[in-house]
Amino acid sequence: MEKWGCSVCGYIYDPEIGDPENGIRRGTDFDDLSDDWVCPDCGADKENFDIAE
């Protein structure tokens, strides 16, 4: 599973960690996040994320 980075603030979504503060369990692939999921740091929409290198 690939990591995804927020182009607004630099937050990295790592599927091995998930987003537990927002109910996203570890092992959840970025593509499986709901369309209304937002960056937990800055609130940017999912469309503002790109694959992190």
Side-chain angles (χ1 to χ4, degrees):
M1 287 188 270
E2 298 174 307
K3 296 178 183 178
W4 288 75
C6 177
S7 63
V8 176
C9 73
Y11 169 83
I12 300 294
Y13 175 78
D14 183 346
E16 292 185 17
I17 298 170
D19 181 12
E21 293 180 11
N22 293 297
I24 308 299
R25 298 175 63 181
R26 80 176 132 178
T28 302
D29 191 61
F30 186 80
D31 291 333
D32 294 332
L33 296 173
S34 66
D35 290 336
D36 63 349
W37 180 84
V38 296
C39 176
D41 283 354
C42 73
D45 293 332
K46 189 176 170 185
E47 65 189 28
N48 291 299
F49 279 74
D50 298 305
I51 295 173
E53 296 183 17

